[in-house]
Amino acid sequence: MPQRSSQPHTVVLLVDENSNPFEMSCAIEIFGLRRPELGRELYDFRLCAAEPATRMRDGFFTLTGVAGLDAAEEADTLIVPNRPDTDAPRAPRVLDVVRRAHARGARLVGFCSGAFTIAEAGLLDGRRAACHWMWADAFRARFPGVRLESDVLFVDDGDILTASGSASALDLGLHVVRRDHGAEVANHVSRRLVFAAHRDGGQRQFVERPVPDVPDESLGPLVAWAQERLEEPLTVADLAARAAVSPATLHRRFRAQLGTTPLAWLTGERVALACRLIERGEERLDVVAARSGLGTAANLRARVRRETGLSPSAYRRRFGPAAGEAVRV
C-alpha cells in the first residue's frame, strides 16, 4: 500500500441496500474527516452506491447524492457493503465491482457482516476472516472453505481485512491507519475519536460481565498513571497495588472495561510507545527497548514484529523520519 506519498490513498465505501448506518459513520469518521493539524491528507475518501437512492437499514433513512459504482474503480481500498439480512444475495454488479477491485490489487475491508459480501464474491476461500458471532454458524454453513475466526475483533489477512461487529469497525479502521501511517498518526486519530488507540485483533468479541454488588471504578486514573511510567518495570501486581485491589479484581475490571487483560494492555502500550520512538528517529534499539519498558532489543524485535508484522528496522524504513516529513501531533 502507498505510504506517505504525495497522492493520498483512495478509500471508497460502497453502500448497498439495507446497509448499516453505524459502520458507514465509522468509515467516514476515520477515513473521511480532514485533519489539517497533521499537515497532510491521510486519505481521499469517497462514498458510492449501486443506485441513485439507497434505502438504509430498516428504512431509517434513504441515502442520495453519492457517486455511482464507477467511483469504486478508483479505490486503493474498497470497504464492501454490510447488512443484517445476510441470507439475501448481493446484486451481481456489486459483487463484480468487489471482484474487479481485488483483481487489480485493491485492499478489501469488511465491517461486521461485510465478510459475507467478500465471501459471496468468491474471494475468501482458504483465507482467514471474521464476522459477528451471531452469524458465525450461518457463515460456516454457507462458506465452508473460509477459515472463520468467530471469536476475535478483526482479522488482517493482508489485502483482505474483516471486522467482527459494529464497534470493532473502529478497531479495524484504526488498525488500517496504523498500518498505513504508523502508530503516531493512529494515536492522534484515536484521540480525536476518544477511543482506545489499539486493541489487538485477536481479542475476544465480547466479554461476559458479572453484575457487581458495587459498580467498578473507572480505570482511567490507573491507565494514565501507568502510561507515564512505561519505562519502569511495572507488573500486574504493581498496577493492582496502585488501584488498591487484588490482581484478580484488576483482571476482572480490565476485562469488563477494556476487553483485555492487564498484561496484554501493558504490553500493547509499550509496543505503541516503542513504535512512536522509532517514528521520531530513535535508531538505537536498546534505547527504544529501555524507554518503552520492553527490556531488551530481542524482546523489542519480537513484540514489534508480532504487533505490526514488521521488524523494527523495516518499521523505521516505512514510518521513520527518513520516510517523509515528521508528523506533528
Side-chain angles (χ1 to χ4, degrees):
M1 296 299 166
Q3 305 293 337
R4 298 186 177 184
S5 65
S6 58
Q7 296 297 321
H9 184 102
T10 299
V11 177
V12 177
L13 171 64
L14 175 54
V15 181
D16 199 12
E17 187 74 14
N18 214 24
S19 285
N20 285 321
F22 181 82
E23 285 85 347
M24 179 178 72
S25 300
C26 290
I28 294 171
E29 181 74 27
I30 292 176
F31 302 109
L33 295 189
R34 297 179 64 85
R35 304 185 189 279
E37 66 276 14
L38 294 179
R40 59 188 171 88
E41 294 299 319
L42 301 183
Y43 298 99
D44 175 12
F45 179 79
R46 308 171 192 177
L47 275 169
C48 76
E51 302 293 340
T54 303
R55 183 177 178 271
M56 301 297 288
R57 178 177 181 175
D58 296 332
F60 289 136
F61 61 89
T62 298
L63 183 69
T64 61
V66 301
L69 290 180
D70 288 348
E73 304 294 344
E74 302 177 12
D76 298 312
T77 291
L78 181 66
I79 303 176
V80 306
N82 61 50
R83 63 185 183 192
D85 52 335
T86 55
D87 291 335
R90 286 289 176 195
R93 58 181 178 149
V94 170
L95 296 177
D96 286 343
V97 166
V98 175
R99 294 187 189 104
R100 287 198 300 272
H102 183 260
R104 69 170 184 271
R107 178 170 57 190
L108 301 182
V109 174
F111 293 151
C112 195
S113 57
F116 281 83
T117 302
I118 302 175
E120 191 175 345
L123 303 176
L124 277 178
D125 285 348
R127 301 190 61 159
R128 300 164 53 237
C131 77
H132 197 287
W133 59 269
M134 287 178 55
W135 296 308
D137 290 342
F139 187 94
R140 288 194 179 96
R142 188 173 172 188
F143 306 110
V146 181
R147 296 162 52 198
L148 183 69
E149 299 184 11
S150 58
D151 197 25
V152 298
L153 292 178
F154 62 83
V155 166
D156 180 344
D157 200 42
D159 60 344
I160 299 180
L161 301 91
T162 47
S164 60
S166 295
S168 58
L170 291 172
D171 292 298
L172 179 54
L174 289 170
H175 172 77
V176 169
V177 174
R178 179 173 178 154
R179 201 173 100 169
D180 289 348
H181 299 283
E184 193 83 25
V185 171
N187 286 340
H188 174 82
V189 174
S190 72
R191 285 195 297 271
R192 283 274 299 269
L193 286 165
V194 195
F195 190 75
H198 177 66
R199 291 200 299 168
D200 183 69
Q203 291 182 30
R204 290 173 58 87
Q205 286 189 30
F206 61 94
V207 181
E208 295 180 2
R209 302 182 183 183
V211 179
D213 294 331
V214 179
D216 286 343
E217 295 180 357
S218 170
L219 287 171
L222 177 64
V223 164
W225 176 83
Q227 286 173 328
E228 294 177 355
R229 295 165 175 81
L230 292 175
E231 76 283 359
E232 299 178 11
L234 292 178
T235 64
V236 173
D238 294 329
L239 296 180
R242 176 69 183 183
V245 297
S246 68
T249 296
L250 185 71
H251 190 281
R252 176 171 56 81
R253 290 186 181 180
F254 264 80
R255 276 294 188 188
Q257 297 183 33
L258 298 182
T260 187
T261 66
L263 181 58
W265 174 85
L266 190 58
T267 301
E269 289 295 309
R270 283 173 166 156
V271 171
L273 175 56
C275 289
R276 292 197 297 273
L277 292 171
I278 294 171
E279 290 177 28
R280 292 170 180 172
E282 179 56 67
E283 297 184 355
R284 298 164 295 176
L285 293 189
D286 56 340
V287 173
V288 173
R291 291 182 59 189
S292 63
L294 291 173
T296 66
N299 190 43
L300 169 70
R301 291 188 185 93
R303 294 294 182 178
V304 169
R305 183 178 290 278
R306 179 184 182 279
E307 294 293 334
T308 70
L310 300 170
S311 67
S313 58
Y315 191 91
R316 181 184 301 110
R317 286 193 298 271
R318 181 173 295 186
F319 300 118
E325 183 180 355
V327 177
R328 299 180 298 276
V329 293

